[in-house]
Amino acid sequence: MSLALQDVVWRAGGKTILHGASLRFEAGQVTAIVGPNGAGKSTLLRIASGLLSPTSGTVTLQGTELNHLAPARLAAMRAMLTQETVLRARFTLQDLVVMGARVSAPRLTGQERTMLAEDLLGRVGLEHFADRDVMDLSGGEHQRAHLARVLMQLEAAVSDKGNAPGFLLLDEPISAQDPARQHLVLDLARKHARRGGGVVLVLHDLNWAVACADRIVVVHQGTIHAQGPPQDVLTDTLAQTVFGLEEGRVQTHERTGKPYILPHDIIFN
Amino acid sequence: MTSSRRQALIFLIALIPLLLLAVIAALNIGATGVHLSAFWHGTTDSDIRVDRIVLLRIRGPRVVMSGLTGAALAVAGAVMQGLFRNPLADPGLIGVSSGAALATACMIVLGGPWLVSGTWGVWAIPAAGMCGSFAAAYLLYLFATRGGVTSVSTILLAGVALGAFSGALTGILIFRANDTALRDLTFWTMGSFAGATWSRIGLLCPFLCVAAAVTARLATPLNALLLGESDAHLIGYPVERIKRLAMVAVACAVGPTVSFVGAIGFVGVIVPHLVRLVTGPDHRLVLPGSALLGASLMIVADTLARVIAIPADVPVGIVTAVLGTPVFVWLLSGAHGREVVS
């Protein structure tokens, strides 16, 4: 299964945010989209999910254009964690997670849904929270609860329809997490890819992107600036031209052989 | 099943005997000393025959009409609050009430006496109200829809503007109305079930059936919409279709009822909140709960309206406002221990 963008242009408010981006995401792979603020990363992800229709260009999932797929069919094939989910209702975590499977897996019994939801809450580190109100959670817990809902959407569809695990699109999934939970969330993403699903995530932390992604896509000023394996993409030149970092920030890790960015000698005046 | 879910189901089931109790009380209480017992006495006594006529022709339709109206307004309020993710959303927001008010005012003030009074009048005023309410809701929908996407915040703001504009036009009509028209219009704005008949209920029923059938399919999509339109779309719901269906359901529930009984405030806003305090935000519980509680409260309000100033019939809108205001303040004050959230 693959998710492909072809010559995607996005214009909004008289401004061109994306200038003809072409990309292909494969199942079984973790792709990290990185780039400076305002580069068009989230827009790219929203277009890939079908949330936005591109001004021109096409997005195809398994060879079919997204706008030709029925909403319920699409729901079983891709799920997305957005940044701006605000839930102002006193649902329990259990209810919230089960909500993810209402359309993608309609034939699952209530008991099957409950069991899968409990399992997922455990995997995101919220195992004793099933009966808690969503509104009583901290920011990080809230983000992981929604991650469980998004995973539920795809995993329930696998149980229901027996199809391959779909594409998991995550927009800054670790923005509200402490270091241990950042690792937990990205590990869940990798596991999804290892089971045959596709993962595309927007990340700001380049070190995490290098550590967890098989492929890095650099978005800069609305174009695909570079893409490929982390060690090929994250060079010192790129760090300088795209992210405006000083020379010599990108080093190569002795043990892993992967590049990393050195921030610890920065001194503020 | 969690304890909160069990508590919600018990509450929902308990609302059924509450509604029955309200119906029985409303049939037994009235200006004349007529009791339900008239039905299980013999038929020879002419007094009993009169009693039965009172029950079947006067109180019966009134109780049914007030119950249906209460249920319709409360469910429409719950749908609107879910759709707008706004706890203050009211069934009138999509223009149905202002459209009905303006069209009714036009008919009362500008319609000739042959149209407004007599046999035609009984139907002409509600028919005008219905046309006005549907036209207003449709105009608002067209205005807020660009490229197949309906903006609910535009509906909200345009609905307020439409309300003000229709209020101004109604004001002009009031200015040039004669005394009789003025009185009719004033009573319409306060709402009353005095004109309830079985034939009016018969006309109302198809609209309410459409509203009920559509609303039943909206419960889980409305839950997902509480996450926002983007997330509801990502979960797999056809969001634009759901918005259209919600507007159809609300227009069918509110337009015809408002046209028959006039503007009755507060029920649509308060009842869904009261239900949500017990059931939580799940629309599969909130919608039936609102229907049952809305019906019971409206029947009680109308019974009070009939008896507090015998032989006069107080407009029911006054009763709902007098009872509703303290409840509303209580809800806002947070004294019940839970936040008022949608």
Side-chain angles (χ1 to χ4, degrees):
Chain A
M1 187 150 71
S2 68
L3 175 62
L5 286 79
Q6 189 67 47
D7 302 322
V8 165
V9 174
W10 173 252
R11 280 191 206 98
K15 244 183 89 182
T16 306
I17 313 287
L18 288 174
H19 309 261
S22 294
L23 274 174
R24 194 177 178 86
F25 305 112
E26 298 293 342
Q29 239 186 16
V30 176
T31 308
I33 301 177
V34 298
N37 287 345
K41 306 182 294 294
S42 293
T43 306
L44 195 71
L45 203 64
R46 291 168 82 84
I47 288 174
S49 73
L51 212 49
L52 293 177
S53 294
T55 312
S56 68
T58 55
V59 184
T60 52
L61 182 54
Q62 236 178 347
T64 313
E65 271 195 53
L66 286 194
N67 48 12
H68 293 160
L69 285 167
R73 178 124 190 273
L74 186 57
M77 294 162 78
R78 70 89 185 88
M80 175 168 166
L81 179 72
T82 56
Q83 282 188 73
E84 61 274 4
T85 305
V86 181
L87 180 62
R88 289 178 304 166
R90 293 204 163 273
F91 281 108
T92 63
L93 252 76
Q94 177 79 28
D95 288 341
L96 176 75
V97 176
V98 166
M99 210 185 272
R102 290 246 172 259
V103 181
S104 69
R107 285 174 304 186
L108 239 53
T109 64
Q111 203 188 356
E112 285 170 319
R113 284 189 186 141
T114 308
M115 278 168 62
L116 188 53
E118 275 171 10
D119 174 41
L120 278 163
L121 282 172
R123 279 194 263 156
V124 299
L126 297 170
E127 50 271 73
H128 303 301
F129 285 53
D131 291 334
R132 286 267 290 271
D133 270 345
V134 176
M135 285 177 69
D136 295 338
L137 299 179
S138 74
E141 289 164 347
H142 200 265
Q143 194 178 34
R144 276 180 285 134
H146 283 287
L147 177 65
R149 167 177 65 78
V150 169
L151 282 166
M152 178 83 182
Q153 185 176 330
L154 295 180
E155 293 196 11
V158 173
S159 307
D160 186 11
K161 299 179 172 131
N163 56 346
F167 271 88
L168 187 61
L169 313 176
L170 309 171
D171 196 358
E172 297 193 31
I174 56 171
S175 58
Q177 304 302 324
D178 61 42
R181 268 54 174 264
Q182 291 181 350
H183 186 234
L184 178 122
V185 167
L186 295 176
D187 190 48
L188 280 171
R190 280 206 67 80
K191 281 179 179 147
H192 182 78
R194 218 163 291 140
R195 274 194 299 269
V199 178
V200 184
L201 23 80
V202 169
L203 286 178
H204 268 298
D205 190 316
L206 296 172
N207 288 329
W208 276 123
V210 169
C212 85
D214 300 301
R215 196 163 67 107
I216 289 189
V217 172
V218 182
V219 182
H220 184 41
Q221 294 174 344
T223 57
I224 308 300
H225 187 83
Q227 56 174 312
Q231 55 272 28
D232 296 352
V233 172
L234 192 61
T235 60
D236 209 49
T237 324
L238 182 120
Q240 289 173 54
T241 51
V242 174
F243 294 97
L245 295 178
E246 293 162 32
E247 198 183 338
R249 288 257 162 252
V250 178
Q251 314 261 319
T252 305
H253 197 276
E254 282 174 23
R255 194 163 47 80
T256 61
K258 285 186 176 179
Y260 69 100
I261 292 196
L262 198 68
H264 62 243
D265 57 347
I266 294 173
I267 298 166
F268 290 98
N269 296 320
Chain B
M1 193 187 298
T2 60
S3 62
S4 56
R5 179 57 60 97
R6 198 174 303 123
Q7 184 192 346
L9 283 175
I10 292 170
F11 169 73
L12 216 57
I13 293 165
L15 285 175
I16 298 168
L18 180 76
L19 176 60
L20 288 176
L21 213 65
V23 169
I24 292 167
L27 286 173
N28 264 315
I29 301 168
T32 55
V34 175
H35 289 280
L36 270 179
S37 56
F39 278 105
W40 47 86
H41 287 308
T43 49
T44 47
D45 193 340
S46 69
D47 282 350
I48 286 173
R49 276 208 295 275
V50 172
D51 285 4
R52 284 187 186 178
I53 288 171
V54 168
L55 283 170
L56 286 177
R57 300 259 174 87
I58 300 168
R59 277 189 213 163
R62 218 172 143 149
V63 170
V64 172
M65 188 76 145
S66 53
L68 289 176
T69 304
L73 291 177
V75 170
V79 170
M80 285 286 98
Q81 287 164 15
L83 186 68
F84 288 98
R85 297 215 286 164
N86 187 330
L88 283 177
D90 160 279
L93 267 184
I94 57 163
V96 274
S97 303
S98 20
L102 181 60
T104 305
C106 280
M107 188 55 91
I108 291 174
V109 178
L110 304 177
W114 58 274
L115 197 62
V116 179
S117 53
T119 337
W120 281 102
V122 181
W123 298 107
I125 293 171
M130 253 187 265
C131 293
S133 62
F134 288 141
Y138 188 61
L139 266 179
L140 215 56
Y141 169 75
L142 286 184
F143 181 74
T145 306
R146 294 272 180 284
V149 178
T150 309
S151 156
V152 288
S153 45
T154 307
I155 293 185
L156 196 77
L157 294 172
V160 173
L162 186 72
F165 185 64
S166 122
L169 289 184
T170 312
I172 295 171
L173 289 167
I174 288 172
F175 188 67
R176 46 162 300 171
N178 60 32
D179 282 353
T180 326
L182 204 58
R183 192 180 153 76
D184 286 350
L185 208 55
T186 312
F187 273 93
W188 186 88
T189 55
M190 290 189 289
S192 169
F193 293 105
T197 60
W198 291 118
S199 49
R200 284 182 164 206
I201 291 168
L203 194 69
L204 192 61
C205 274
F207 291 101
L208 295 187
C209 286
V210 171
V214 173
T215 311
R217 298 179 55 191
L218 287 175
T220 45
L222 282 176
N223 285 347
L225 271 177
L226 289 177
L227 295 168
E229 289 185 22
S230 298
D231 281 281
H233 173 87
L234 288 166
I235 287 175
Y237 289 103
V239 173
E240 293 309 317
R241 194 160 160 259
I242 287 159
K243 286 191 259 183
R244 278 197 299 276
L245 285 176
M247 285 190 76
V248 167
V250 172
C252 282
V254 181
T257 46
V258 169
S259 307
F260 276 125
V261 302
I264 301 171
F266 273 114
V267 175
V269 180
I270 289 177
V271 170
H273 279 304
L274 290 174
V275 174
R276 236 179 257 122
L277 283 179
V278 185
T279 63
D282 191 338
H283 284 91
R284 289 171 301 170
L285 301 168
V286 173
L287 294 173
S290 297
L292 290 167
L293 189 63
S296 308
L297 289 184
M298 193 65 98
I299 290 170
V300 171
D302 184 50
T303 309
L304 286 175
R306 283 190 286 127
V307 298
I308 42 180
I310 291 173
D313 208 336
V314 177
V316 70
I318 295 177
V319 179
T320 58
V322 167
L323 293 180
T325 314
V327 178
F328 197 59
V329 172
W330 173 73
L331 275 174
L332 292 177
S333 72
H336 44 80
R338 290 181 80 163
E339 287 168 73
V340 180
V341 287
S342 53

